[in-house]
């Protein structure tokens, strides 16, 4: 078994332009009555963090991103895991759209933590999630958080995203940067250490991993405008057989 071709294509583009990590993630919002519909799409920008796959199942990679567990998309993904991401890479001129299921990995102290582990236990054979049932997702979440910049970490200490902006006095109390309180040899009885640990724990408690398990990938290559190409990759699971990605060339 090998990694699917669409992953190889995507990673090749990222290796040439590692700054092109932003994609758009769409979810389904059923709180849509004010728009006179039952459901409405919601889309926002996300950052690609990495691929994860089991060594025994490289054909079922998942895409890792992150979010604030207090955002509205959390309710949307709890109601329906279905999502689609759209990723435009200006150089080399390629668009990747991925339909899949998105799962949230919050802090073990969060009420939705058991929700994720229930989905993990019941993940169907052939999914990336099923292949990663033995992964230490909490260790992965903490590692992801540690690799954020101090400025990014501080964002998880602000008031709930999307809530009414408070007055200037409260907003001024929000930290601009957060550092690991355990770095160096801190005096754990000092007020400085206690405050740094409080902020670190607060930010980490609001930080969640987003795990996107692809089902279908639509790849458009416009790097050569005189010869555009488009391929659709569909995941197929056959009884007793490894996962395969059926590839079809379609009109761009």
């Amino acid at each position: 078994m090998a990694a699917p071709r669409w992953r190889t294509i995507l990673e090749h583009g990222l290796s040439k332009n590692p700054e092109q990590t932003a994609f758009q993630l769409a979810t389904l919002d059923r709180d849509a009555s004010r728009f006179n519909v039952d459901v409405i799409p919601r889309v926002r920008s996300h950052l690609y963090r990495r691929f994860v796959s089991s060594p025994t199942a490289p054909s079922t990679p998942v895409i890792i991103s992150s979010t604030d567990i207090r955002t509205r998309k959390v309710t949307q993904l709890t109601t329906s895991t279905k999502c689609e991401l759209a990723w435009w890479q200006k150089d080399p001129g390629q668009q990747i759209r991925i339909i899949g299921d998105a799962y949230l990995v919050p802090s073990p102290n969060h009420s939705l933590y058991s929700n994720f582990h229930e989905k993990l236990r019941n993940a169907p054979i052939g999914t990336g999630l099923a292949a990663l049932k033995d992964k230490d997702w909490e260790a992965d979440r903490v590692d992801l958080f540690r690799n954020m910049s101090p400025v990014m970490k501080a964002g998880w200490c602000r008031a709930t995203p999307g809530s009414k902006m408070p007055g200037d006095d409260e907003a001024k109390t929000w930290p601009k940067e957060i550092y690991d309180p355990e770095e160096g040899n801190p005096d754990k009885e000092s007020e400085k250490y206690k405050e740094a640990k409080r902020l670190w724990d607060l930010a980490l408690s609001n930080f969640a991993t987003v795990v996107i398990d692809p089902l279908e990938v639509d790849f458009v290559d416009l790097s050569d405008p005189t010869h555009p190409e488009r391929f659709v990759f569909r995941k197929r699971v056959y009884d007793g057989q490894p996962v395969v990605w059926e590839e079809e060339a379609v009109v761009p």
Side-chain angles (χ1 to χ4, degrees), residues 178-249:
I178 287 180
Y179 294 91
D180 186 346
E182 306 299 335
E183 287 182 352
N185 188 25
D187 176 4
K188 295 189 176 182
E189 298 302 319
S190 69
E191 292 303 316
K192 180 179 179 180
Y193 169 82
K194 291 176 182 178
E195 177 62 6
K197 188 173 190 312
R198 182 187 72 82
L199 293 174
W200 179 274
D201 291 345
L202 174 61
L204 185 55
S205 71
N206 290 326
F207 181 84
T209 304
V210 180
V211 182
I212 301 170
D213 197 345
L215 297 170
E216 181 176 295
V217 180
D218 188 319
F219 170 72
V220 180
D221 187 355
L222 302 176
S223 57
D224 180 356
T226 66
H227 185 61
E229 294 183 295
R230 182 179 178 185
F231 301 93
V232 177
F233 302 85
R234 298 182 179 90
K235 182 190 286 186
R236 296 288 185 253
V237 181
Y238 300 104
D239 289 344
Q241 301 295 321
V243 169
V244 296
W245 287 89
E246 294 181 351
E247 181 176 339
E248 180 183 13

Side-chain angles (χ1 to χ4, degrees), residues 35-246:
F35 302 109
N36 298 316
V37 292
D38 294 328
V39 63
I40 195 166
R42 296 288 190 176
V43 66
R44 76 287 292 164
S45 296
H46 262 251
L47 292 179
Y48 162 83
R49 301 301 180 187
R50 54 193 177 219
F51 275 108
V52 172
S53 60
S54 168
T56 60
S59 60
T60 57
V62 298
I63 296 170
I64 301 298
S65 186
S66 58
T67 192
D68 190 311
I69 199 63
R70 301 169 295 170
T71 58
R72 293 177 181 176
K73 77 170 79 67
V74 171
T75 299
Q76 295 156 21
L77 288 173
T78 302
T79 303
S80 172
T81 58
K82 289 295 179 282
C83 68
E84 182 171 15
L85 69 83
W87 199 337
W88 170 250
Q89 294 192 331
K90 183 177 180 180
D91 182 12
Q94 296 174 338
Q95 175 183 268
I96 301 95
R97 292 189 299 153
I98 301 176
I99 294 175
D101 292 291
Y103 305 99
L104 300 162
V105 189
S107 161
N109 296 323
H110 195 278
S111 59
L112 289 177
Y113 187 73
S114 59
N115 179 278
F116 171 70
H117 277 272
E118 180 181 356
K119 293 184 183 302
L120 195 62
R121 286 192 302 270
N122 298 323
I125 293 174
T127 61
L129 203 62
L132 293 164
K133 283 186 176 181
D134 295 329
K135 182 176 178 60
D136 188 340
W137 285 103
E138 172 58 9
D140 189 80
R141 185 184 75 94
V142 173
D143 178 67
L144 202 62
F145 180 75
R146 287 186 182 280
N147 285 316
M148 301 285 174
S149 70
V151 173
M152 284 285 289
K153 290 187 183 81
W156 279 275
C157 284
R158 298 179 192 136
T160 300
S163 62
K164 185 177 179 179
M165 188 68 183
D168 289 343
D169 289 344
E170 180 180 337
K172 287 178 180 177
T173 67
W174 296 342
K176 301 294 190 295
E177 297 179 328
I178 287 180
Y179 294 91
D180 186 346
E182 306 299 335
E183 287 182 352
N185 188 25
D187 176 4
K188 295 189 176 182
E189 298 302 319
S190 69
E191 292 303 316
K192 180 179 179 180
Y193 169 82
K194 291 176 182 178
E195 177 62 6
K197 188 173 190 312
R198 182 187 72 82
L199 293 174
W200 179 274
D201 291 345
L202 174 61
L204 185 55
S205 71
N206 290 326
F207 181 84
T209 304
V210 180
V211 182
I212 301 170
D213 197 345
L215 297 170
E216 181 176 295
V217 180
D218 188 319
F219 170 72
V220 180
D221 187 355
L222 302 176
S223 57
D224 180 356
T226 66
H227 185 61
E229 294 183 295
R230 182 179 178 185
F231 301 93
V232 177
F233 302 85
R234 298 182 179 90
K235 182 190 286 186
R236 296 288 185 253
V237 181
Y238 300 104
D239 289 344
Q241 301 295 321
V243 169
V244 296
W245 287 89
E246 294 181 351

Side-chain angles (χ1 to χ4, degrees), residues 24-37:
Q24 314 313 309
L25 180 68
T27 54
L28 298 172
D29 186 359
R30 300 192 184 280
D31 182 18
S33 58
R34 64 187 180 280
F35 302 109
N36 298 316
V37 292

